[in-house]
Amino acid sequence: MAGCTGGGEAYDGPERGDFLYDPEVRRVGEYRGAAGPYAMLRPVGGGREWQADPGRVRPATRDERIAAGLRAVNGRASAAYGLGRPPVPEPGCAECGELGEARAAARGRFDWSAETDANVLLRRHQAEVHQPGNP
């Protein structure tokens, strides 16, 4: 990628740790090195490396780097707090049942905001009422 310019400076090619944008998969990755004719990129925040065509990748813009970093942080937070799946209402609990019905109705209206609100309220209710040690 010699001869490319970025920010007014000559670009002689990626160095290990540089963030590159791969238009083929539309992702930003951290350059890890070359493997044969390929540039090896690792997803921001970790994950399985992929092979990219070094003639097609380019330095990631500031906004692309920030967006990729935010996706990685949000993914870790979702996994850490169990936010990847919606909460399941406790059988026999009237309040859980009402919140589950409100969520289903919101989903039926394609009202993602109301669906999220119902999930938050259901999680809060479960934490306050259904956690071990609560009467």
Side-chain angles (χ1 to χ4, degrees):
M1 293 186 2
C4 293
T5 59
E9 299 177 25
Y11 185 72
D12 292 327
E15 293 183 15
R16 188 175 174 93
D18 285 352
F19 292 102
L20 303 176
Y21 179 77
D22 182 359
E24 188 170 328
V25 295
R26 299 188 330 208
R27 290 176 65 186
V28 173
E30 180 184 349
Y31 180 71
R32 306 301 291 162
Y38 300 104
M40 297 303 296
L41 302 178
R42 183 179 64 93
V44 176
R48 177 178 254 165
E49 293 181 354
W50 77 92
Q51 297 174 334
D53 179 355
R56 297 203 57 208
V57 297
R58 61 169 172 73
T61 65
R62 177 180 166 270
D63 289 345
E64 289 167 341
R65 290 192 312 268
I66 290 171
L70 285 174
R71 273 191 298 279
V73 169
N74 287 339
R76 284 194 301 270
S78 292
Y81 293 105
L83 301 177
R85 297 177 186 212
V88 177
E90 291 286 328
C93 175
E95 189 167 349
C96 282
E98 289 174 15
L99 290 169
E101 289 172 10
R103 177 179 61 197
R107 193 177 290 153
R109 295 187 312 269
F110 302 101
D111 185 348
W112 310 130
S113 179
E115 180 182 357
T116 299
D117 291 344
N119 283 335
V120 168
L121 292 173
L122 183 54
R123 279 193 180 94
R124 186 177 299 157
H125 167 72
Q126 288 177 335
E128 292 171 355
V129 177
H130 299 294
Q131 291 300 318
N134 288 338

